[in-house]
């Protein structure tokens, strides 16, 4: 069996790591196509080297651009690649512009498409990721759902016949790296200047257009982080850095200390060393949950509703509308005592995905 993975953005590289490792132990051929949606070394190269992912076989070099230019660029560039490779499966990951373009290019060439992390919904149609998810699920032939909740969403859209519960491959990679960090196999993470790794700190990220692209909202959110009573390590995504610069907003003030994004093992270590996480990232909400840290999510909704159970994750769309003490009480709340179970699977999802691709091969 020949499987061609299409990836392009940071969260997809994290999911690719366990899948590439699972293929390595089989006789199957695994071809990696990198669209180039993320091109900064901090968002791409360090994930290949740090997670032991083989170098991409093909690099499309798409880069930044409007949604149309980015999606269309991948679509055009994929035709000759798929023509040359003719895989048994095109495997697309998550919800980025690269996901949608990869799926669309394959179905137009009558190649079977499998969607990893199918069935997630925010029900927020302002998010580009929500369009990407829905359109990819409806185009794909095999929907690999991470959770029961995702299976329910797919059933609600009439897609049950193509859906299977595969588990969440992010558990595989997160727990493997957690154990390696605990065993001292990774160097200590480079936290932003001003953060003492041995004193309590919060770990923060902010990159969604709804939070970064209005200067008033971005300034208000950063004010809320800067006013917290413990240091906040802000791992700044290029979109955040670009928007802050554009609008003359300072990322370093009060409690706020900005630094570069971390490689995956550094991120896992930084979460483990923190008193909690404040974020608008999907992946980080779940990583906090898996690593026993409370998470406060700066969004009105989450796709990972299981993390909300027992208060492990809490949604705070507008922290600037709370009093400073109420906001601090939420962001620094103690770790709940509730048992979380295993809503995301047992850490063997990638092997399961390979088996499912074999079983459903036409
Ligand atoms: C993308 C995904 C999002 C995912 C996120 C993780 C879409 C629609 N969004 O959002 O689902 O959660 O990746 O990071 O696909 N930039 C750089 N260097 C890079 C990449 C981006 O400087 O390596 C800058 C560019 O100015 C670009 C901006 O960041 O315009 C946004 O990048 P883009 O790929 O459009 O979306 P992300 O916000 O990263």
């Amino acid at each position: 069996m020949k499987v061609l993975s299409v990836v392009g953005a940071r969260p997809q590289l994290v999911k690719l790591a366990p899948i590439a490792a699972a293929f390595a132990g089989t006789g199957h051929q695994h071809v990696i196509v990198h669209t180039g949606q993320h091109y900064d070394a901090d968002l791409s190269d360090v994930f290949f080297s740090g997670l032991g992912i083989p170098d991409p076989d093909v690099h499309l070099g798409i880069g930044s651009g409007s949604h149309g230019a980015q999606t269309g660029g991948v679509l055009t560039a994929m035709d000759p690649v798929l023509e040359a490779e003719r895989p048994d499966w095109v495997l697309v990951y998550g919800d980025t512009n690269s996901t949608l373009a990869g799926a669309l290019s394959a179905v137009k060439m009558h190649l079977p498409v499998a969607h990893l992390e199918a069935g997630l919904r925010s029900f927020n149609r302002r998010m580009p990721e929500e369009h990407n998810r829905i359109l990819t699920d409806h185009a794909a032939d095999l929907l690999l759902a991470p959770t029961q909740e995702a299976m329910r969403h797919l059933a609600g859209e009439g897609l049950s016949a193509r859906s299977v519960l595969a588990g969440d491959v992010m558990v595989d990679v997160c727990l493997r790296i957690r154990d390696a960090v605990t065993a001292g196999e990774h160097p200590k993470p480079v936290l932003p200047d001003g953060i003492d790794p041995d004193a309590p700190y919060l770990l923060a990220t902010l990159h969604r257009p709804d939070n970064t692209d209005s200067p008033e909202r971005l300034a208000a959110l950063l004010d809320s982080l800067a006013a917290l009573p413990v240091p906040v390590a802000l791992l700044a995504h290029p979109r955040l850095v670009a928007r802050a610069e554009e609008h003359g907003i300072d990322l370093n003030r009060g409690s706020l200390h900005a630094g570069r994004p971390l490689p995956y093992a550094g991120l896992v270590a930084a979460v483990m060393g923190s008193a909690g996480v404040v974020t608008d990232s999907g992946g980080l909400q779940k990583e906090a949950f898996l690593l026993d840290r409370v998470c406060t999510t700066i969004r009105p909704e989450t796709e990972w509703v299981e993390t909300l159970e027992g208060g492990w994750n809490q949604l705070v769309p507008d922290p600037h509308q709370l009093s400073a003490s109420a906001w601090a009480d939420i962001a620094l709340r103690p770790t709940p005592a509730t048992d979380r179970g295993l809503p995301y699977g047992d850490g063997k999802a990638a092997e399961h995905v390979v088996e499912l691709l074999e079983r459903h091969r036409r």
Side-chain angles (χ1 to χ4, degrees):
M1 178 171 72
K2 185 186 205 177
V3 177
L4 183 145
S5 283
V6 183
V7 292
R10 177 170 58 176
Q12 293 165 330
L13 306 181
V14 174
K15 290 162 204 154
L16 172 64
I19 294 287
F23 274 118
T26 68
H28 301 307
Q29 195 184 345
H30 184 217
V31 178
I32 299 174
V33 177
H34 192 317
T35 66
Q37 175 171 351
H38 283 174
Y39 45 89
D40 281 1
D42 284 350
L43 297 195
S44 180
D45 303 8
V46 296
F47 286 82
F48 281 89
S49 52
L51 292 173
I53 307 171
D55 286 341
D57 299 278
V58 181
H59 203 293
L60 305 179
I62 297 304
S64 296
S66 65
H67 287 292
Q70 212 169 44
T71 311
V74 176
L75 207 46
T76 307
M78 281 298 291
D79 277 355
V81 176
L82 293 178
E83 194 59 69
E85 297 288 348
R86 289 265 146 206
D88 297 298
W89 282 110
V90 174
L91 182 59
V92 297
Y93 299 65
D95 57 19
T96 73
N97 291 335
S98 298
T99 313
L100 175 61
L104 213 46
S105 59
V107 290
K108 286 196 174 290
M109 293 185 72
H110 305 294
L111 291 169
V113 180
H115 182 204
L116 187 79
E117 213 174 74
L120 290 197
R121 298 291 182 264
S122 67
F123 301 100
N124 176 352
R125 284 180 57 86
R126 279 185 52 80
M127 289 176 70
E129 291 86 350
E130 186 75 352
H131 318 148
N132 290 340
R133 292 178 190 125
I134 293 172
L135 293 169
T136 302
D137 281 340
H138 284 258
D141 303 276
L142 180 63
L143 303 176
L144 301 161
T147 60
Q148 290 289 1
E149 179 79 3
M151 288 293 283
R152 277 191 286 277
H153 293 153
L154 294 168
E157 293 175 28
L159 297 173
S160 282
R162 290 186 257 156
S163 308
V164 281
L165 182 63
D168 188 341
V169 300
M170 280 189 59
V171 179
D172 306 20
V173 62
C174 185
L175 300 187
R176 172 169 73 85
I177 299 296
R178 174 199 65 187
D179 293 345
V181 166
T182 307
E185 290 168 21
H186 290 280
K188 292 214 174 312
V190 182
L191 293 173
D193 286 346
I195 299 291
D196 175 358
D198 299 319
Y201 66 88
L202 287 168
L203 191 72
T205 74
L206 215 52
H207 81 279
R208 299 217 164 269
D210 267 357
N211 285 336
T212 58
D213 291 5
S214 143
E216 293 77 27
R217 178 163 175 85
L218 177 59
L221 293 178
L222 292 169
D223 284 346
S224 299
L225 291 173
L228 284 167
V230 300
V232 178
L234 177 66
L235 306 179
H237 184 284
R239 173 189 286 279
L240 172 63
V241 174
R243 296 297 177 272
E245 262 172 29
E246 214 172 287
H247 302 298
I249 300 171
D250 193 357
L251 294 179
N252 284 286
R253 60 213 159 82
S255 298
L256 206 47
H257 302 272
R260 285 165 55 178
L262 289 171
Y264 191 72
L267 178 91
V268 167
V271 171
M272 290 166 76
S274 75
V277 168
V278 182
T279 190
D280 61 4
S281 150
L284 196 46
Q285 291 172 53
K286 218 167 28 175
E287 278 140 6
F289 181 82
L290 295 169
L291 297 169
D292 300 326
R293 293 296 176 278
V294 290
C295 182
T296 305
T297 298
I298 311 214
R299 280 181 52 192
E301 74 283 303
T302 179
E303 297 78 7
W304 304 107
V305 291
E306 301 80 6
T307 61
L308 299 173
E309 298 271 325
W312 285 91
N313 188 10
Q314 186 166 338
L315 301 174
V316 183
D318 301 303
H320 46 289
Q321 289 177 3
L322 299 174
S323 71
S325 65
W327 165 231
D329 284 349
I330 293 174
L332 288 163
R333 67 196 186 280
T335 308
T338 43
D339 179 15
R340 289 154 297 165
L342 290 172
Y344 301 112
D346 57 2
K348 299 211 181 331
E351 287 163 31
H352 194 198
V353 165
V354 174
E355 282 163 25
L356 287 167
L357 292 174
E358 264 180 304
R359 200 185 312 155
H360 291 266
R361 186 180 163 186
R362 278 195 220 132

